[in-house]
Amino acid sequence: MNQLKKNLSLTEGKKEQNNLIRDPQKNKQKKQKKLVDMEGFVTHNLSNGKFRLKLENGVEVIGHLSGKIRQNRIKIVVGDKVTVELSPYDLTKGRITYRHR
């Protein structure tokens, strides 16, 4: 009898966990942060996939390559026009998400 109660309580806990996992829209809303997209030009090539960028509004920031750009081995050189996502917490650092042709 006690064994049966333990099994029932375990399965109820698993059902609750599955409901949390199955609702991805709620998880996305929590994880989604407001990023600022801006365009700019690469002015300097720094080490480890970092670049010094000059944005449209004249501000200089440091940007690193996003995972998809690294994964697809897209080369970025000085003078390229790029799109940068800036975090609202630190506007001096950003992530390079797109290289314009």
Side-chain angles (χ1 to χ4, degrees):
M1 189 71 169
N2 288 337
Q3 188 70 16
L4 183 61
K5 287 182 182 178
K6 286 181 184 177
N7 287 342
L8 286 175
S9 63
L10 287 176
T11 55
E12 287 174 7
K14 288 181 182 176
K15 286 180 185 176
E16 290 174 10
Q17 288 176 352
N18 287 341
N19 288 339
L20 293 175
I21 294 170
R22 286 184 188 158
D23 195 3
Q25 211 159 22
K26 283 185 180 179
N27 293 340
K28 282 184 183 178
Q29 289 174 354
K30 289 180 183 177
K31 291 180 185 177
Q32 193 175 32
K33 295 181 182 177
K34 296 179 182 177
L35 299 172
V36 181
D37 284 345
M38 299 206 66
E39 292 184 5
F41 290 94
V42 177
T43 57
H44 289 93
N45 185 3
L46 305 174
S47 63
N48 292 334
K50 292 185 182 178
F51 299 88
R52 181 150 307 169
L53 309 166
K54 186 160 192 160
L55 301 179
E56 299 171 322
N57 57 6
V59 177
E60 292 226 353
V61 298
I62 293 177
H64 66 276
L65 296 176
S66 70
K68 287 290 184 182
I69 289 182
R70 282 187 187 169
Q71 192 175 24
N72 293 318
R73 295 192 176 118
I74 297 172
K75 303 296 180 200
I76 294 180
V77 294
V78 174
D80 283 347
K81 186 175 182 183
V82 294
T83 301
V84 184
E85 285 182 349
L86 296 174
S87 169
Y89 303 113
D90 186 4
L91 295 174
T92 62
K93 294 181 182 157
R95 178 186 311 120
I96 299 172
T97 56
Y98 188 77
R99 176 181 164 260
H100 297 276
R101 297 179 185 211

